[in-house]
Amino acid sequence: MPRPKEHVVTLTAADRARLTKVVTSGRHPARMITRARTLLELDEANGPASGRAVVADRVGVSEATVYLVAKRYTECAGDVEAVIARRKRAEPPVPAKVTGDVEARVIALACSKPPPGYERWSLRLLEKHVVLTEGIPDLDHSTIGRVLKRGRLSLT
């Protein structure tokens, strides 16, 4: 006896019409169309849907893709737009080194008096002093230059 389906897709008539329009209009990204076709194949509103392997063969994707689309449908509580649309990234993969506090401290350092023996700050001299300053991550001289440029500060 086969296992019961974990993620059952049951579409309303409005959802079915929306997905059909996405598939037939040809104005949407290919992945969105593929997900819409997958959802239409998995729909159990009119009776039991075919198995994952059959749906994957009809749509032209892997069984894992069929599973993931059905899983996302149940996770989104039946919100079809959330399933077929591209996800927005919550935060970047690498956190930014330069925050507002770091930027303010670098600008303050650049506005201060240069060390003895120097007439003015250079980007490389600022880089050396940023390394020595507590609470500021190590920044490259080009990054310091971008910070100063963003703050509309010139070293000349």
Side-chain angles (χ1 to χ4, degrees), residues 57-146:
D57 191 44
R58 284 185 193 158
V59 178
V61 296
S62 68
E63 288 184 48
T65 302
V66 174
Y67 172 76
L68 290 174
V69 168
K71 179 181 173 188
R72 181 127 188 250
Y73 179 82
T74 56
E75 287 173 352
C76 294
D79 184 12
V80 173
E81 284 299 318
V83 175
I84 64 172
R86 184 176 178 183
R87 290 188 210 185
K88 298 288 183 197
R89 178 178 275 159
E91 48 186 64
V94 178
K97 275 186 170 182
V98 181
T99 60
D101 179 50
V102 170
E103 192 172 326
R105 292 183 69 185
V106 169
I107 290 173
L109 182 62
C111 290
S112 68
K113 191 173 181 181
Y118 294 93
E119 202 173 300
R120 63 184 182 87
W121 287 105
S122 68
L123 292 179
R124 297 202 188 258
L125 184 60
L126 277 170
E127 179 184 10
K128 289 177 187 174
H129 279 271
V130 163
V131 170
L132 300 174
T133 307
E134 290 282 326
I136 300 179
D138 294 348
L139 300 175
D140 187 50
H141 65 276
S142 58
T143 306
I144 293 171
R146 281 194 300 274

Side-chain angles (χ1 to χ4, degrees), residues 2-49:
R3 289 187 330 194
K5 293 183 181 177
E6 290 178 60
H7 308 291
V8 178
V9 176
T10 307
L11 301 173
T12 63
D15 288 342
R16 212 172 303 109
R18 166 76 176 116
L19 291 173
T20 305
K21 186 174 181 180
V22 167
V23 170
T24 58
S25 69
R27 297 176 187 226
H28 301 282
R31 291 201 184 211
M32 182 182 276
I33 293 171
T34 302
R35 290 185 195 117
R37 287 181 59 207
T38 305
L39 281 176
L40 286 171
E41 288 290 330
L42 288 172
D43 183 22
E44 295 197 7
N46 297 331

